[in-house]
Amino acid sequence: MKPLTEPLFITEDYLKAHFGLRYGGEIILPPGTRFTPSARQLLQERSIGIRWQDPKGQHFVSQGDELTDAGHLKQVHALKSDNQRPQNLCQLCESEVAEKPALLTHLDDSHLVPKTHPRIALRGKLDSCISYCVLVQCAMEAQPDKLRSFMADIRSYLGDVLQAEVLNRPLPLPGLGEFDAQTLHRWSHNPMKHLGHDHMLPDAKYGLVVGQLNYLRGLIRELELQATSVFLDDTLKLSPLGEDIVAGLNRLSSAVYVVMQLVWQCQIGNQSLLEELSRGAS
């Protein structure tokens, strides 16, 4: 399990052992953390962003070089890159709502909508899925570091989906560590060839962790279907944001399926498969 506080200087090996390191991802560290040259190079090569979090849970971003926070931190909302107070505008009439009633919530930084709005319902499903993903992470404490870092990537990407939906910004496809979405998709469609086991159907013989991962995979598939319903217009086309989210969730379910297969391989004593896959990616 990742310690609550990181060392002052973080090495490349420490990053690989304690964090998901997918390309374009983000990691959270306490202010004051520094990096060895090789750790800094790894973060830069994979375009991994840094968000700083203090002991009270407050989030900060660096206003200069994000790999060093020395005196240049700006507090931000946990979901955003700013701390701007939202406006209370009615989405229908653009009028200011003096006092927000309980039945309304913010669709974005400006507009209020009823809590029955389809996008608000999607956010609720995302919140539940993220919460369950954290439970799966906790259940995987005894798994190899590589698999736990993969789960960190999955949890991180679910947060990226939520941010993309709330902030209406582009969402790249997910990866796991050094493996991109295309590789994971190929593995998930032919697991016998790439992962040493045929397609897995729900079965108690695979154990609790595989069962929990499979349930998480199912929740992500439900999210994909709900997102399709939310963003599909009358001409059966998805908006650009909808295309990103639906495609991302589709590939994320494949990523979880790959982790399921790898957990099973480790349970039956075939941990060397993880090393073989990593060597093949380098």
Side-chain angles (χ1 to χ4, degrees):
M1 182 177 182
K2 188 179 74 172
L4 294 178
T5 58
E6 280 76 16
L8 180 61
F9 275 92
I10 285 183
T11 65
E12 179 181 358
D13 287 342
Y14 186 90
L15 286 174
K16 291 179 177 178
H18 292 88
F19 293 96
L21 296 173
R22 63 184 173 85
Y23 290 90
E26 182 180 74
I27 62 175
I28 298 175
L29 292 166
T33 304
R34 296 293 183 269
F35 305 93
T36 62
S38 61
R40 176 186 287 265
Q41 181 178 356
L42 175 63
L43 294 172
Q44 290 173 334
E45 287 176 350
R46 297 194 182 182
S47 300
I48 294 172
I50 310 287
R51 188 174 283 245
W52 312 96
Q53 186 179 32
D54 68 12
K56 294 183 178 180
Q58 300 176 105
H59 286 247
F60 301 85
V61 295
S62 297
Q63 299 188 73
D65 179 3
E66 67 175 2
L67 293 184
T68 173
D69 68 283
H72 299 285
L73 294 184
K74 176 181 71 172
Q75 186 176 356
V76 296
H77 187 278
L79 274 178
K80 303 188 297 181
S81 58
D82 62 56
N83 215 17
Q84 179 180 346
R85 184 179 178 85
Q87 294 178 275
N88 289 341
L89 299 179
C90 173
Q91 188 191 34
L92 295 177
C93 64
E94 295 288 331
S95 299
E96 178 77 24
V97 178
E99 186 173 347
K100 182 173 75 70
L103 62 86
L104 296 181
T105 190
H106 280 97
L107 180 65
D108 50 38
D109 271 348
S110 300
H111 298 96
L112 293 171
V113 293
K115 291 181 178 177
T116 54
H117 191 285
R119 283 180 63 172
I120 303 304
L122 178 63
R123 289 176 196 174
K125 287 283 190 180
L126 265 168
D127 188 31
S128 297
C129 190
I130 290 170
S131 299
Y132 187 73
C133 184
V134 171
L135 292 178
V136 177
Q137 284 183 276
C138 293
M140 290 183 62
E141 289 182 5
Q143 298 296 325
D145 289 343
K146 189 75 168 179
L147 292 182
R148 289 189 289 115
S149 72
F150 284 172
M151 283 306 302
D153 279 335
I154 291 167
R155 160 63 187 93
S156 173
Y157 189 79
L158 283 169
D160 288 352
V161 175
L162 184 58
Q163 287 187 357
E165 191 281 319
V166 171
L167 302 177
N168 195 23
R169 70 185 191 188
L171 177 72
L173 293 175
L176 294 179
E178 63 269 45
F179 304 111
D180 61 19
Q182 183 177 359
T183 298
L184 299 173
H185 187 63
R186 185 172 68 252
W187 290 354
S188 70
H189 277 249
N190 194 346
M192 177 67 83
K193 176 181 178 181
H194 301 287
L195 305 175
H197 192 282
D198 208 346
H199 286 287
M200 302 174 76
L201 299 177
D203 197 312
K205 70 182 181 183
Y206 295 119
L208 181 61
V209 172
V210 172
Q212 291 171 321
L213 283 163
N214 198 33
Y215 186 70
L216 176 62
R217 184 193 62 82
L219 291 177
I220 293 170
R221 294 303 300 270
E222 289 181 8
L223 275 173
E224 178 190 348
L225 294 175
Q226 184 155 354
T228 302
S229 176
V230 168
F231 292 106
L232 196 66
D233 64 21
D234 293 337
T235 65
L236 300 183
K237 291 184 178 180
L238 290 168
S239 66
L241 175 62
E243 286 184 356
D244 283 356
I245 290 177
V246 170
L249 290 171
N250 179 272
R251 291 297 186 263
L252 190 64
S253 66
S254 297
V256 175
Y257 184 66
V258 167
V259 176
M260 282 173 53
Q261 290 272 356
L262 292 174
V263 166
W264 175 244
Q265 288 295 330
C266 290
Q267 288 179 179
I268 61 176
N270 191 15
Q271 293 195 23
S272 61
L273 177 62
L274 279 173
E275 299 174 2
E276 294 171 9
L277 293 174
S278 295
R279 283 198 298 269
S282 60

